[in-house]
Amino acid sequence: MTISRTALLSAVALGMLVAGCSKERQETPAALASKGAVVPTVAAPSEAGAARPGGAREVKLSNPLYEFAYSYPAAAGAIADLKKQLDDELEKAQAELASNAEGQKAESKKEGFPFNPLGNWVEWKVVTDLPGWLSLSADISDYQGGAHPNHGFDALVWDRQANQRRKPIDMFTSKAALTQAIRQDFCAALDRERAKKRGGEPIGDAIPEFSKCIDPAESTIILGSSNRKAFDRIGVLIAPYEAGPYAEGNYEVTLPVTPAVLAAVKPEFRSTFVAKR
């Protein structure tokens, strides 16, 4: 998961404004949850990956060093090459988490500070399943012992004809072209979502970026469909700190594919999209 420069700068600014952050840094996910902080929900632990009907997979691990969960749906598991890729990513994520946890545990013992179990949670979900394409999005949370977990997203589209995994954003001529096609509608929709979360109260006097529009193409783009025949929806998944403070959680904006969006699609993929007029 890649966290944008804007998100990191906003996080640093917010950390300077919030008192007592250094104390909060040593609290576990359970302690944070008791204080009302947003912490990923982890189901009852098990020690093995459970194969769900139809090729879906769900792995849950919990031990004194870390909590780990990774799942993908049956539609993904039914595609052999995609299943192999996701299984490889699962194993790599679990191994990296275990290594990081062991390292932090050893460091805490050496330096004499409390060790907080780490965590990594990934859930892949179907956005839409078309005759030639499978569109997936992933909710990702990662806890490395700090004040709270980090949240983010990932997305992919599986090209059934080419038997190839693609990034949704790569189906457009450029990020700039997509931004230009949707920016006006996106900014208006984002402000409406902000108003809902904030109850009409202004946010961002200390951090003005939280009241400004953001570049949608720098967030996670997903492709959806209302007719299950072609992509006619563009989704923008926005992690905390991108468009608002951590307490506001994630944002999601969904927009129709318009003629302007269609013009921004690479010619070789244009037949897969349809504009809503």
Side-chain angles (χ1 to χ4, degrees), residues 253-275:
V253 171
T254 302
L255 302 169
V257 171
T258 62
V261 171
L262 193 58
V265 177
K266 290 179 179 177
E268 60 266 36
F269 302 124
R270 210 160 282 166
S271 62
T272 306
F273 290 73
V274 60

Side-chain angles (χ1 to χ4, degrees), residues 121-198:
W121 304 264
V122 178
E123 181 186 9
W124 284 99
K125 297 177 288 187
V126 174
V127 179
T128 193
D129 193 347
L130 305 181
W133 299 84
L134 176 65
S135 176
L136 301 176
S137 67
D139 292 335
I140 301 173
S141 294
D142 183 68
Y143 181 69
Q144 293 296 319
H148 50 64
N150 292 316
H151 302 280
F153 302 97
D154 199 358
L156 68 86
V157 284
W158 187 264
D159 184 337
R160 298 184 192 275
Q161 183 175 355
N163 200 39
Q164 182 178 345
R165 178 176 180 169
R166 303 183 189 276
K167 282 282 190 183
I169 192 65
D170 292 339
M171 297 177 72
F172 297 89
T173 55
S174 68
K175 286 184 176 182
L178 177 60
T179 294
Q180 183 176 1
I182 67 174
R183 183 174 180 82
Q184 183 174 351
D185 291 340
F186 168 79
C187 292
L190 176 59
D191 281 344
R192 288 194 295 270
E193 293 302 312
R194 282 169 164 164
K196 290 177 186 177
K197 291 196 177 193
R198 298 171 185 178

Side-chain angles (χ1 to χ4, degrees), residues 13 16 40-42 54 72 80 97 106 122 147 160 177 193 208 229 239 241 244 250 273 275:
M16 295 174 66
T41 301
V42 181
Y72 56 75
L97 178 63
V122 178
R160 298 184 192 275
E193 293 302 312
K229 296 178 182 178
Y241 293 131
N250 306 320
F273 290 73

Side-chain angles (χ1 to χ4, degrees), residues 51 59 79 89 91 103 105 110 114 130 141-142 161 216 233 243 267:
V59 170
I79 302 171
E89 290 173 11
E91 293 176 8
K105 178 68 173 177
K110 177 181 177 181
L130 305 181
S141 294
D142 183 68
Q161 183 175 355
R233 292 175 177 172

